[in-house]
Amino acid sequence: MDDWKSNSRMTGPKSITISKNQAEVLKKYSNRNSPNESCAILFGSNNNDTITTREIFLTENIEKSPVNFTISNEELITAYNKAEEMNLDVIGIFHSHPDSVPFPSTTDEKYMEINPVTWVIYSNVHDEFKAYIYNSGIVPVTVKIM
């Protein structure tokens, strides 16, 4: 992970795999933080067109907002250091939409463009995970829960 920028810049994965246990952790975390958005950093590997989630780094939404999230710089640094210690890449950003569909907001899209990893969004009201990457626009990525 000496060159984390090139390792994390994925140009278009076709799918992201999340284990059933990881999905449950993210759902419970989202429900616990509702009505505010929850957020996390996903660690794993990118093999061909498939991203595999190996670890979840739960983070605090310092905005404590139902429509936005921000991860502190300190937590971001800690997450990247932890991923490096584990010899994993930062492969995704997770957040919840407590009261809406799992589709990127205008704000999400702006940040997706400067954080070119897979963005996984969980809708609390629809109990649904969706994923996207920004590649000259929002591109859907299949979520596989296994």
Side-chain angles (χ1 to χ4, degrees), residues 17 19 21 35 50-51 67-68 71 73 101 107-108 110-111 119-120 123 127 134-135 140 143:
T17 301
S19 73
N21 182 56
T50 301
I51 297 169
V67 294
N68 288 310
I71 301 168
N73 289 335
V101 296
T107 303
D108 292 339
K110 179 175 77 170
Y111 287 105
W119 283 53
V120 177
S123 169
D127 189 26
Y134 189 90
N135 189 1
V143 177

Side-chain angles (χ1 to χ4, degrees), residues 66-82:
V67 294
N68 288 310
F69 76 97
T70 299
I71 301 168
S72 73
N73 289 335
E74 293 80 13
E75 272 197 305
L76 286 172
I77 291 167
T78 300
Y80 275 94
N81 287 338
K82 181 107 172 146

Side-chain angles (χ1 to χ4, degrees), residues 16-72:
I16 182 167
T17 301
I18 300 170
S19 73
K20 288 180 184 177
N21 182 56
Q22 291 167 336
E24 281 304 309
V25 166
L26 292 171
K27 284 181 185 184
K28 286 178 182 176
Y29 191 61
S30 297
N31 290 327
R32 192 167 61 240
N33 283 289
S34 188
N36 296 326
E37 290 193 0
S38 61
C39 44
I41 306 291
L42 307 178
F43 303 161
S45 58
N46 181 18
N47 299 314
N48 300 320
D49 290 334
T50 301
I51 297 169
T52 303
T53 306
R54 301 280 183 219
E55 295 288 332
I56 299 169
F57 186 85
L58 299 175
T59 58
E60 179 185 356
N61 176 0
I62 62 173
E63 286 193 48
K64 301 200 183 317
S65 166
V67 294
N68 288 310
F69 76 97
T70 299
I71 301 168
S72 73

Side-chain angles (χ1 to χ4, degrees), residues 96-117:
S96 64
H97 283 181
D99 293 314
S100 64
V101 296
F103 188 81
S105 67
T106 305
T107 303
D108 292 339
E109 184 175 357
K110 179 175 77 170
Y111 287 105
M112 288 173 75
E113 192 171 0
I114 59 174
N115 293 290
V117 294

